[in-house]
Amino acid sequence: MKVWNWEGFWGYFTNLYLLEGALWTIGLTISTLILGGMLGLLLAVMRLSKHKGLARAAQTYIWVFRGTPLLVQLIIIYTGLPQLGLVRFSVLESAILGLALNEAAYLSEILRGGILSVAKGQTEAARAMGLKPHQIFRLVVLPQALRVIIPPLGNSVNGLLKTTSIASVISMEEVLRRGQILMQQKFQVLEVFIVVAIIYLAMTTCWDFVQRRIEAYYGKAYGSAVDGQLARDDR
């Protein structure tokens, strides 16, 4: 009995159907980061708000979405909402919405932590120098906060590339789902899923390289940039 098909194994590396699934995975990741990042920033601002109602609403949202499985959330969005007669989303819409709502809960804490890491004395000193609020955020708070935000944010992207595979349960044809379909057609389980694993490994490795470059960039000294901006503002 033949248990391994080398021809099939190597063939999956150039299988356009499977490679298109990898592109869908990347697209899901990017869409989730954009939408989840915007919502996460809003949640972070709400958590930092002095208005107790806003802070508690954001805290409740984070508690719910961090405390329940993403799989359950996707199923509720895709199958539960139509049963309640509320709204019916397509597979793609459900996948992006579910992933973004879930990721926002985590990104909000990363963003909030980065903002809180900037000492109050920094903003007070900048205010004493006559900087306007938007200048304080752009020149003082943001550069320092990014140093704290970038590493965990990069790790979230790495995790998100793999987490998108959960969308396969609602038939989202990302790389894992397409691997499952190929497996059912050709009955080459090990060959298909090893290739799928290698594709995920390739994507996360590429992102790791990008993340290191980003961390190195934001790790540079930024004092000269602030001084240059202040000099321009004084003219």
Side-chain angles (χ1 to χ4, degrees):
M1 180 178 178
K2 193 173 183 179
V3 295
W4 182 265
N5 187 319
W6 281 107
E7 183 180 355
F9 173 72
W10 295 114
Y12 290 127
F13 283 105
T14 56
N15 187 294
L16 292 180
Y17 182 71
L18 197 58
L19 294 177
E20 286 176 359
L23 293 179
W24 276 109
T25 294
I26 295 172
L28 275 177
T29 302
I30 295 174
S31 300
T32 299
L33 280 174
I34 293 173
L35 295 178
M38 291 190 295
L39 180 56
L41 180 59
L42 176 61
L43 290 170
V45 172
M46 291 173 65
R47 283 293 307 274
L48 294 171
S49 173
K50 295 180 180 180
H51 192 288
K52 291 184 178 180
L54 291 176
R56 288 177 180 174
Q59 190 171 6
T60 300
Y61 177 99
I62 294 169
W63 171 65
V64 170
F65 279 90
R66 293 184 65 175
T68 56
L70 173 59
L71 176 60
V72 175
Q73 296 167 16
L74 284 173
I75 293 174
I76 290 175
I77 291 173
Y78 183 61
T79 63
L81 294 181
Q83 289 181 11
L84 296 175
L86 298 177
V87 63
R88 181 181 296 276
F89 294 108
S90 67
V91 170
L92 178 60
E93 291 169 343
S94 298
I96 294 176
L97 180 61
L99 289 167
L101 291 176
N102 181 270
E103 192 67 15
Y106 294 90
L107 293 179
S108 66
E109 293 299 277
I110 293 174
L111 296 170
R112 185 174 71 93
I115 294 172
L116 289 176
S117 69
V118 181
K120 290 184 178 180
Q122 297 285 329
T123 57
E124 291 174 355
R127 194 177 297 112
M129 294 175 64
L131 268 68
K132 298 178 180 178
H134 69 89
Q135 290 177 317
I136 295 175
F137 180 78
R138 181 167 59 89
L139 298 174
V140 179
V141 176
L142 186 59
Q144 296 183 69
L146 282 175
R147 291 185 171 189
V148 177
I149 292 171
I150 292 298
L153 181 61
N155 293 335
S156 293
V157 176
N158 187 296
L160 186 57
L161 278 166
K162 295 170 286 187
T163 303
T164 54
S165 61
I166 297 179
S168 63
V169 299
I170 60 172
S171 300
M172 178 65 210
E173 288 196 14
E174 40 67 67
V175 65
L176 178 61
R177 176 59 180 168
R178 292 199 173 196
Q180 292 172 335
I181 293 173
L182 287 175
M183 180 269 294
Q184 293 168 0
Q185 293 175 347
K186 301 186 178 182
F187 303 101
Q188 295 174 350
V189 181
L190 196 57
E191 293 89 339
V192 171
F193 284 111
I194 286 180
V195 172
V196 168
I198 292 173
I199 290 175
Y200 276 114
L201 183 60
M203 290 190 293
T204 55
T205 300
C206 289
W207 170 250
D208 183 62
F209 174 77
V210 173
Q211 181 181 349
R212 291 183 183 182
R213 296 293 296 271
I214 295 175
E215 289 180 7
Y217 176 80
Y218 283 103
K220 295 177 182 178
Y222 54 87
S224 59
V226 176
D227 294 339
Q229 181 63 42
L230 290 175
R232 286 192 293 270
D233 291 341
D234 290 339
R235 291 177 182 176

